[in-house]
Amino acid sequence: MRFTKMQGCGNDYVYVNCFEESVSSPEQLARSVSDRHFGIGSDGLVLICPSEVADCKMRMFNPDGSESEMCGNAIRCVAKYVYDRDIIHKQKIAVDTLAGIKLIAVNTDENDIARTLTVDMGAPITTAAEIPVIAVSSPVKDLRLEAFGREFTATCVSMGNPHAVIFIDEDVSSFDVEGFGRVFEQDERFPRKANIEFVNVLSPTHLKMRVWERGTGETLACGTGTCATAAAACLNGISPYEPVMVDLLGGQLTIEWKKTDGHIYMTGPAEFTFDGEYYNG
């Protein structure tokens, strides 16, 4: 099976061009290729497929084999892949996902190579039942999460997948993301589990975030989590409705929640790492 390794802000996936390749069991394949010792090594598997309703379709699988609705870093890589390899050479590309059709603007250099991509991530979901999270009222800005004798307050947002954003005062660089993230991900109030973001506010337009992703663990970046973080900052009056820079372990993304259409726009890089062939069995 031919594959391509790509990364966006260090969030790395194995990409398979299903315009040419066939994958019969993506759940098992995701578990195999994601292993960093016995496989290729990645944060998961992404299939780039034909679509009857958009330019192409993205299916994204976590290292545990579960399928996720959406991945902001992966969708930028998908758009770069189909643009640079002339599968869909358009300045605006529509990608079908389990979270709906997303539109991506391709920002090219002088050689017509996609360098950064701007994704219309749609409107953030703040209604508890739709996130989903079990809570009394919406928006959910005061969900109490407890572990190891400590209590935190989370703001819950969905960007097609559920997130719980926690603003903390202590330096997130040394915070126990794995310990608290592993517990909070599986809190009984998250029917589909949740991605957990831990955030420092450096200024109203500059945030610093680390993320624990459900089914994966801590990653260097999470596109939907970055969008959820910016939305949570706006909901809590921390950030204005203008571009906000978010520092991640793997790089930086720029997020803007536009009042004109209520959508969140994410701009960031996508890069090829290498191509290869995978022998499964």
Side-chain angles (χ1 to χ4, degrees):
M1 181 191 75
R2 288 173 295 173
F3 71 89
T4 298
K5 184 78 177 292
M6 300 184 73
Q7 60 88 12
C9 290
N11 201 191
D12 62 334
Y13 289 91
V14 171
Y15 292 79
V16 178
N17 177 5
C18 291
F19 285 84
E20 299 178 356
E21 301 282 340
S22 178
V23 175
S24 59
S25 180
E27 298 84 0
Q28 178 56 47
L29 183 63
R31 290 190 286 269
S32 300
V33 301
S34 299
D35 192 293
R36 296 188 185 273
H37 298 287
F38 297 99
I40 299 166
S42 69
D43 289 330
L45 170 71
V46 175
L47 306 183
I48 305 173
C49 309
S51 171
E52 296 181 356
V53 296
D55 292 315
C56 62
K57 181 176 183 178
M58 178 182 84
R59 296 186 67 191
M60 179 265 179
F61 296 84
N62 296 310
D64 65 357
S66 60
E67 185 169 7
S68 285
E69 300 90 341
M70 175 58 184
C71 176
N73 290 311
I75 202 170
R76 294 198 314 276
C77 290
V78 167
K80 177 179 174 65
Y81 186 104
V82 298
Y83 185 89
D84 284 358
R85 300 197 172 182
D86 292 320
I87 298 171
I88 302 157
H89 203 77
K90 298 164 58 176
Q91 294 301 126
K92 289 192 175 180
I93 297 172
V95 180
D96 184 17
T97 76
L98 288 179
I101 296 174
K102 305 299 180 184
L103 299 177
I104 301 99
V106 181
N107 310 309
T108 59
D109 62 15
E110 64 276 8
N111 297 314
D112 196 31
I113 302 297
R115 291 303 178 194
T116 65
L117 302 103
T118 301
V119 185
D120 180 350
M121 298 289 286
I125 297 168
T126 59
T127 303
E130 296 178 24
I131 291 174
V133 57
I134 299 172
V136 175
S137 60
S138 301
V140 184
K141 298 191 292 183
D142 57 355
L143 187 74
R144 303 291 180 181
L145 295 173
E146 298 181 28
F148 310 118
R150 297 186 61 183
E151 182 177 271
F152 299 86
T153 300
T155 298
C156 298
V157 177
S158 172
M159 293 302 308
N161 52 357
H163 295 268
V165 181
I166 301 172
F167 295 97
I168 61 175
D169 293 326
E170 60 199 274
D171 188 354
V172 72
S173 298
S174 55
F175 185 77
D176 184 9
V177 169
E178 179 178 2
F180 287 99
R182 189 183 301 277
V183 174
F184 294 160
E185 170 198 2
Q186 303 182 63
D187 189 280
E188 61 185 7
R189 287 165 293 179
F190 299 124
R192 298 208 308 263
K193 299 186 179 181
N195 303 281
I196 313 296
E197 286 76 32
F198 300 93
V199 186
N200 288 156
V201 179
L202 304 182
S203 80
T205 57
H206 193 183
L207 309 174
K208 183 178 179 181
M209 183 193 93
R210 287 174 65 191
V211 58
W212 178 268
E213 295 196 53
R214 59 176 181 166
T216 302
E218 184 175 13
T219 59
L220 296 182
C222 175
T224 56
T226 310
C227 293
T229 292
C234 290
L235 289 171
N236 285 284
I238 296 169
S239 296
Y241 287 80
E242 59 184 63
V244 174
M245 295 183 299
V246 184
D247 294 342
L248 310 161
L249 291 180
Q252 188 178 81
L253 293 174
T254 301
I255 312 295
E256 182 176 9
W257 189 356
K258 291 187 177 180
K259 281 190 172 181
T260 51
D261 61 6
H263 287 201
I264 287 186
Y265 293 81
M266 172 188 62
T267 300
E271 298 290 342
F272 291 111
T273 307
F274 59 86
D275 294 317
E277 292 183 343
Y278 180 71
Y279 300 93
N280 189 15

